[in-house]
Amino acid sequence: MRSPDLEELTMAFFRPRVSREAEVRYHADQEIGKGFTALLEKAREAQRHLRAVEAAGGSVAERRAAGLALDRALTAALRAAEAGQRATLGIKGYDNRIARRKARATPDGALWTAEVSRLRTLREENKLNLPGIPQVYAVAR
């Protein structure tokens, strides 16, 4: 029986701790995240258009169309921001919740987390204020 080499031992002990799927998702998120600034600018332009339509006293249909365009732009920017956040958190963050949590505490991770939260808030606020949808209020009994 032959004894194992040092190289064989290190290969057994120092195997990568991330899955192949995590690597694929990481690289895909990097690509999606690259388009974040362009998508954010489209969302800003859609928001400016909505504000212009509202200031001009546009009809309900015009305001609704502009609001829906803003919603689509915010959704695309949010998806890119989430992908950028996941890529910033690193490969280990896909498989390990502890690594993901630690990465969120870094300055870059906190920046992306705040941006994702801000975009989610803007999107929900826009959805709540879309014209043409009757407002339903909860009544306390």
Side-chain angles (χ1 to χ4, degrees), residues 9-35:
L9 288 176
T10 56
M11 291 300 289
F13 290 119
F14 298 108
R15 212 170 287 149
R17 299 251 178 188
V18 295
S19 65
R20 175 61 79 187
E21 179 186 336
E23 286 183 32
V24 170
R25 290 174 53 199
Y26 173 74
H27 293 298
D29 282 342
Q30 280 183 322
E31 290 300 314
I32 294 169
K34 286 180 183 176

Side-chain angles (χ1 to χ4, degrees), residues 50-71:
L50 174 63
R51 299 298 174 241
V53 169
E54 288 175 344
S59 68
V60 173
E62 290 173 338
R63 287 184 291 146
R64 181 164 174 76
L68 289 174
L70 177 58
D71 182 58

Side-chain angles (χ1 to χ4, degrees), residues 4-112:
D5 294 357
L6 180 62
E7 183 177 314
E8 290 174 347
L9 288 176
T10 56
M11 291 300 289
F13 290 119
F14 298 108
R15 212 170 287 149
R17 299 251 178 188
V18 295
S19 65
R20 175 61 79 187
E21 179 186 336
E23 286 183 32
V24 170
R25 290 174 53 199
Y26 173 74
H27 293 298
D29 282 342
Q30 280 183 322
E31 290 300 314
I32 294 169
K34 286 180 183 176
F36 172 70
T37 54
L39 292 170
L40 186 61
E41 187 54 41
K42 285 182 184 179
R44 287 183 179 144
E45 183 60 38
Q47 187 176 27
R48 282 191 287 269
H49 177 67
L50 174 63
R51 299 298 174 241
V53 169
E54 288 175 344
S59 68
V60 173
E62 290 173 338
R63 287 184 291 146
R64 181 164 174 76
L68 289 174
L70 177 58
D71 182 58
R72 286 189 296 273
L74 284 172
T75 300
L78 178 62
R79 287 185 180 149
E82 288 171 340
Q85 178 190 29
R86 287 189 301 266
T88 300
L89 299 181
I91 283 185
K92 289 183 182 180
Y94 289 91
D95 291 339
N96 186 341
R97 68 180 179 83
I98 303 293
R100 188 169 45 246
R101 186 172 167 208
K102 284 182 178 181
R104 279 194 182 123
T106 64
D108 286 341
L111 180 74
W112 276 106

